[in-house]
Amino acid sequence: MTAPAMSALDAIYHRRATRAFTAAPVGDDAIGELLRAAIHAPTAMHAEPWLFAIVQDRALLARISDRTKAMLATPSGDDHHGLARHPESRLPAIFTAPGFDIFYGAGTLVAIGTRAPGGFAVADCWLAAQNLMLAATALGLATCPIGVAALALNDPAIKEAVGIPEDVTVVAPIIVGVAAGAPTPASRRAPVIVSWRRPRAP
Ligand SMILES: Cc1cc2nc3c(=O)[nH]c(=O)nc-3n(C[C@H](O)[C@H](O)[C@H](O)COP(=O)(O)O)c2cc1C
């Protein structure tokens, strides 16, 4: 597929968490390109532990959204990310409002998971997710990490419905689509440098 010319820095600065999508589908070629970009992420000890599940069935997306909201409302031990039970969770009330779609109308979900235990595998999955999101930006597509969806995507009934093997833990759910309008830019605080040791003068 043809991608517009965009430097890595352009993609980094243009990527936005997008929360409004058109009905335009994401084609198989684009999905293929996104997954190729994802697997070129750095990977600890060359483990390449990432696995991908793609959901483009809107009824299933709605079921995952509803299940996530139900799980947020009733925290349980299946909350691998501590989202629902974290005392400092700042999830807005809208997340549990009836009719709210946690996927914001996006028609494609790429769930990145792993069978490997440990922090390195989790890091690898998120690095793959970031590659995927930057590649999507370069292809003119929009994305948003939907961390809360990991709740339902690690629920046995949802795993079975999606076709995710029982022993796979979903780490990074990412929605992909065509943005409806320009997302609001999110500001950033300046980098906090706690230390920068320079060579000492001889
Ligand atoms: C690990 C992670 C989980 C996230 N989960 C959600 C989510 O469940 N729902 C959502 O709307 N945004 C989610 N986001 C998107 C952030 O809210 C967004 O990245 C942040 O507001 C900064 O905006 P920007 O990405 O446009 O710079 C998540 C981001 C990360 C990194």
Side-chain angles (χ1 to χ4, degrees), residues 120-162:
F120 280 172
V122 170
D124 287 1
C125 288
W126 277 112
L127 286 164
Q130 177 71 338
N131 264 20
L132 185 153
M133 291 187 280
L134 293 177
T137 305
L139 293 173
L141 295 168
T143 60
C144 187
I146 305 293
V148 288
L151 276 175
L153 288 164
N154 285 302
D155 178 63
I158 294 289
K159 275 186 173 176
E160 193 183 349
V162 175

Side-chain angles (χ1 to χ4, degrees), residues 31-132:
I31 298 283
E33 188 75 51
L34 297 181
L35 298 188
R36 268 191 297 281
I39 62 165
H40 278 79
T43 172
M45 295 175 289
H46 214 112
E48 302 178 62
W50 37 58
L51 300 160
F52 303 89
I54 298 128
V55 183
Q56 295 185 305
D57 172 341
R58 284 194 178 268
L60 187 50
L61 287 170
R63 185 175 161 194
I64 300 166
S65 175
D66 289 346
R67 181 73 185 123
T68 301
K69 287 161 59 185
M71 291 177 81
L72 283 169
T74 52
S76 81
D78 300 332
D79 180 4
H80 296 275
H81 296 259
L83 285 164
R85 57 190 153 77
H86 197 287
E88 288 167 16
S89 171
R90 288 184 297 155
L91 286 175
I94 193 173
F95 271 87
T96 48
F100 175 70
D101 171 12
I102 68 157
F103 299 125
Y104 306 104
T108 296
L109 168 70
V110 180
I112 307 177
T114 182
R115 285 195 171 93
F120 280 172
V122 170
D124 287 1
C125 288
W126 277 112
L127 286 164
Q130 177 71 338
N131 264 20
L132 185 153

